[in-house]
Amino acid sequence: PIWESAASAAYIVKKYGIDPGDIVMETTSYDTIGNAYFARTQICDPMGWRRVWVVTSEFHMPRTQAIFDWIFSCEGPFRHSYAPIRYVSTANVGLTDDALKARKEKEAMSLAKHVEPRARQITTLKGVLLFLTTDHGMYSVKGLKQAPEAVSEELKNSYRAS
Protein backbone atom coordinates (compact mmCIF):
# COMPACT_ATOMS: atom_id res chain seq x y z
CA PRO A 1 0.00 0.00 0.00
CA ILE A 2 0.94 3.63 -0.36
CA TRP A 3 0.40 5.46 2.91
CA GLU A 4 -0.74 9.07 2.85
CA SER A 5 2.19 9.90 5.12
CA ALA A 6 4.68 8.39 2.65
CA ALA A 7 3.20 10.24 -0.32
CA SER A 8 3.13 13.50 1.67
CA ALA A 9 6.69 13.03 2.90
CA ALA A 10 7.95 12.35 -0.62
CA TYR A 11 6.19 15.48 -1.83
CA ILE A 12 7.67 17.83 0.79
CA VAL A 13 11.14 16.32 0.44
CA LYS A 14 11.05 16.91 -3.30
CA LYS A 15 9.23 20.25 -3.36
CA TYR A 16 10.79 21.92 -0.31
CA GLY A 17 14.07 20.07 0.11
CA ILE A 18 13.24 18.88 3.62
CA ASP A 19 15.81 16.42 4.96
CA PRO A 20 14.13 12.98 5.01
CA GLY A 21 15.78 12.40 8.39
CA ASP A 22 13.63 15.21 9.81
CA ILE A 23 10.36 13.50 8.90
CA VAL A 24 8.63 10.80 10.93
CA MET A 25 5.84 8.89 9.23
CA GLU A 26 2.88 7.26 10.96
CA THR A 27 2.09 4.13 8.93
CA THR A 28 0.04 2.01 11.32
CA SER A 29 -3.39 3.54 10.87
CA TYR A 30 -6.28 2.91 8.52
CA ASP A 31 -8.24 6.07 9.35
CA THR A 32 -8.15 9.40 11.17
CA ILE A 33 -8.79 7.99 14.66
CA GLY A 34 -5.90 5.60 14.05
CA ASN A 35 -3.75 8.49 12.75
CA ALA A 36 -4.25 10.38 16.01
CA TYR A 37 -3.95 7.37 18.32
CA PHE A 38 -0.83 5.90 16.74
CA ALA A 39 0.84 9.29 16.22
CA ARG A 40 0.44 9.94 19.93
CA THR A 41 1.22 6.48 21.34
CA GLN A 42 3.95 5.38 18.92
CA ILE A 43 5.65 8.69 18.18
CA CYS A 44 4.80 11.76 20.26
CA ASP A 45 4.60 10.24 23.76
CA PRO A 46 7.71 8.04 23.50
CA MET A 47 9.74 10.83 21.86
CA GLY A 48 8.54 13.41 24.37
CA TRP A 49 7.31 15.67 21.61
CA ARG A 50 5.06 18.49 22.83
CA ARG A 51 4.27 20.29 19.55
CA VAL A 52 2.16 18.66 16.90
CA TRP A 53 1.10 19.91 13.47
CA VAL A 54 -1.76 18.26 11.60
CA VAL A 55 -2.24 18.91 7.88
CA THR A 56 -5.30 17.76 5.97
CA SER A 57 -7.79 18.93 3.39
CA GLU A 58 -10.33 21.63 4.23
CA PHE A 59 -13.35 19.32 3.98
CA HIS A 60 -11.74 16.87 6.41
CA MET A 61 -10.48 19.41 8.96
CA PRO A 62 -13.46 19.73 11.38
CA ARG A 63 -13.56 15.97 12.06
CA THR A 64 -9.78 15.70 12.08
CA GLN A 65 -9.46 18.49 14.62
CA ALA A 66 -12.11 16.94 16.86
CA ILE A 67 -10.35 13.58 16.73
CA PHE A 68 -6.83 14.89 17.40
CA ASP A 69 -8.05 17.19 20.19
CA TRP A 70 -9.83 14.19 21.76
CA ILE A 71 -6.95 11.71 21.48
CA PHE A 72 -4.27 14.18 22.58
CA SER A 73 -6.35 15.15 25.65
CA CYS A 74 -6.87 11.56 26.81
CA GLU A 75 -5.18 10.43 29.99
CA GLY A 76 -2.27 8.13 29.28
CA PRO A 77 0.84 6.60 30.85
CA PHE A 78 3.04 9.60 30.05
CA ARG A 79 2.46 12.60 32.29
CA HIS A 80 3.09 15.57 30.05
CA SER A 81 0.96 18.10 28.29
CA TYR A 82 0.94 19.17 24.69
CA ALA A 83 1.08 22.66 23.31
CA PRO A 84 -2.07 23.46 21.35
CA ILE A 85 -2.07 21.40 18.17
CA ARG A 86 -1.47 23.46 15.03
CA TYR A 87 -3.94 22.67 12.26
CA VAL A 88 -3.24 23.51 8.62
CA SER A 89 -5.83 22.85 5.95
CA THR A 90 -5.16 22.45 2.27
CA ALA A 91 -7.48 23.45 -0.56
CA ASN A 92 -10.07 20.97 -1.78
CA VAL A 93 -8.33 20.42 -5.10
CA GLY A 94 -9.25 17.63 -7.50
CA LEU A 95 -12.82 16.99 -6.40
CA THR A 96 -15.93 17.83 -8.38
CA ASP A 97 -18.59 19.91 -6.67
CA ASP A 98 -20.73 16.78 -6.20
CA ALA A 99 -17.83 14.79 -4.79
CA LEU A 100 -16.89 17.59 -2.41
CA LYS A 101 -20.51 17.87 -1.24
CA ALA A 102 -20.62 14.09 -0.64
CA ARG A 103 -17.36 14.15 1.32
CA LYS A 104 -18.48 17.09 3.48
CA GLU A 105 -21.77 15.33 4.24
CA LYS A 106 -19.98 12.11 5.19
CA GLU A 107 -17.53 14.02 7.39
CA ALA A 108 -20.31 15.91 9.20
CA MET A 109 -22.32 12.72 9.77
CA SER A 110 -19.29 10.86 11.10
CA LEU A 111 -18.36 13.73 13.42
CA ALA A 112 -21.85 13.91 14.93
CA LYS A 113 -22.65 10.19 15.00
CA HIS A 114 -19.30 8.62 15.86
CA VAL A 115 -16.60 11.03 16.99
CA GLU A 116 -18.36 13.43 19.35
CA PRO A 117 -20.20 10.72 21.36
CA ARG A 118 -17.04 8.64 21.74
CA ALA A 119 -14.96 11.65 22.74
CA ARG A 120 -17.43 12.30 25.57
CA GLN A 121 -17.41 8.65 26.69
CA ILE A 122 -13.78 7.61 26.23
CA THR A 123 -11.25 9.73 28.13
CA THR A 124 -8.18 7.49 28.44
CA LEU A 125 -5.76 6.05 25.90
CA LYS A 126 -6.54 2.61 27.29
CA GLY A 127 -10.21 3.25 26.54
CA VAL A 128 -9.37 4.32 22.99
CA LEU A 129 -7.27 1.18 22.50
CA LEU A 130 -10.11 -1.00 23.79
CA PHE A 131 -12.54 0.74 21.43
CA LEU A 132 -10.19 0.28 18.46
CA THR A 133 -9.48 -3.39 19.16
CA THR A 134 -12.96 -4.51 20.18
CA ASP A 135 -15.48 -2.29 18.33
CA HIS A 136 -13.89 -0.35 15.48
CA GLY A 137 -14.55 -1.71 12.00
CA MET A 138 -10.93 -1.43 10.84
CA TYR A 139 -9.01 -2.69 13.89
CA SER A 140 -11.27 -5.26 15.57
CA VAL A 141 -12.23 -8.83 14.80
CA LYS A 142 -15.86 -7.64 14.79
CA GLY A 143 -14.94 -5.44 11.85
CA LEU A 144 -14.18 -8.52 9.76
CA LYS A 145 -17.87 -9.42 9.87
CA GLN A 146 -19.35 -5.97 9.35
CA ALA A 147 -21.18 -5.31 6.13
CA PRO A 148 -19.71 -2.45 4.10
CA GLU A 149 -21.35 0.91 4.70
CA ALA A 150 -23.83 1.92 2.01
CA VAL A 151 -22.56 5.05 0.29
CA SER A 152 -23.69 7.16 -2.64
CA GLU A 153 -22.09 6.91 -6.07
CA GLU A 154 -20.82 10.50 -5.65
CA LEU A 155 -18.98 9.49 -2.50
CA LYS A 156 -17.53 6.33 -4.08
CA ASN A 157 -16.37 8.32 -7.09
CA SER A 158 -14.68 10.92 -4.89
CA TYR A 159 -12.17 8.27 -3.78
CA ARG A 160 -11.23 7.22 -7.30
CA ALA A 161 -8.21 8.72 -8.97
CA SER A 162 -9.07 11.12 -11.75
Side-chain angles (χ1 to χ4, degrees):
I2 298 174
W3 290 279
E4 291 172 337
S5 61
S8 298
Y11 174 80
I12 64 173
V13 165
K14 183 176 180 180
K15 179 158 177 108
Y16 299 105
I18 304 295
D19 182 344
D22 291 338
I23 300 171
V24 177
M25 295 188 306
E26 184 283 303
T27 57
T28 307
S29 64
Y30 297 113
D31 65 357
T32 308
I33 292 175
N35 289 143
Y37 179 80
F38 295 118
R40 176 165 175 198
T41 61
Q42 294 179 352
I43 300 169
C44 297
D45 281 0
M47 298 296 288
W49 292 358
R50 306 287 187 274
R51 292 181 296 174
V52 177
W53 287 62
V54 176
V55 180
T56 194
S57 55
E58 178 273 327
F59 74 82
H60 187 46
M61 186 56 78
R63 189 170 67 88
T64 298
Q65 185 168 350
I67 290 169
F68 273 79
D69 286 349
W70 162 37
I71 300 298
F72 277 77
S73 68
C74 283
E75 181 183 326
F78 292 93
R79 300 285 179 219
H80 60 258
S81 60
Y82 289 90
I85 298 173
R86 301 283 306 263
Y87 294 97
V88 178
S89 61
T90 60
N92 295 320
V93 176
L95 294 173
T96 65
D97 290 343
D98 286 343
L100 182 57
K101 181 178 182 246
R103 289 275 188 107
K104 285 183 175 182
E105 288 171 356
K106 179 181 184 285
E107 292 286 320
M109 183 279 302
S110 180
L111 177 60
K113 184 177 176 183
H114 301 293
V115 176
E116 290 171 341
R118 287 191 177 91
R120 287 190 296 272
Q121 295 170 343
I122 303 171
T123 59
T124 66
L125 289 178
K126 180 179 179 181
V128 175
L129 179 61
L130 289 172
F131 159 68
L132 289 174
T133 58
T134 62
D135 290 326
H136 191 287
M138 297 298 291
Y139 303 96
S140 70
V141 174
K142 280 184 190 177
L144 297 173
K145 296 183 134 194
Q146 289 179 352
E149 179 183 350
V151 297
S152 68
E153 284 303 311
E154 291 86 6
L155 186 60
K156 283 181 195 174
N157 291 336
S158 76
Y159 289 95
R160 294 188 177 109
S162 38

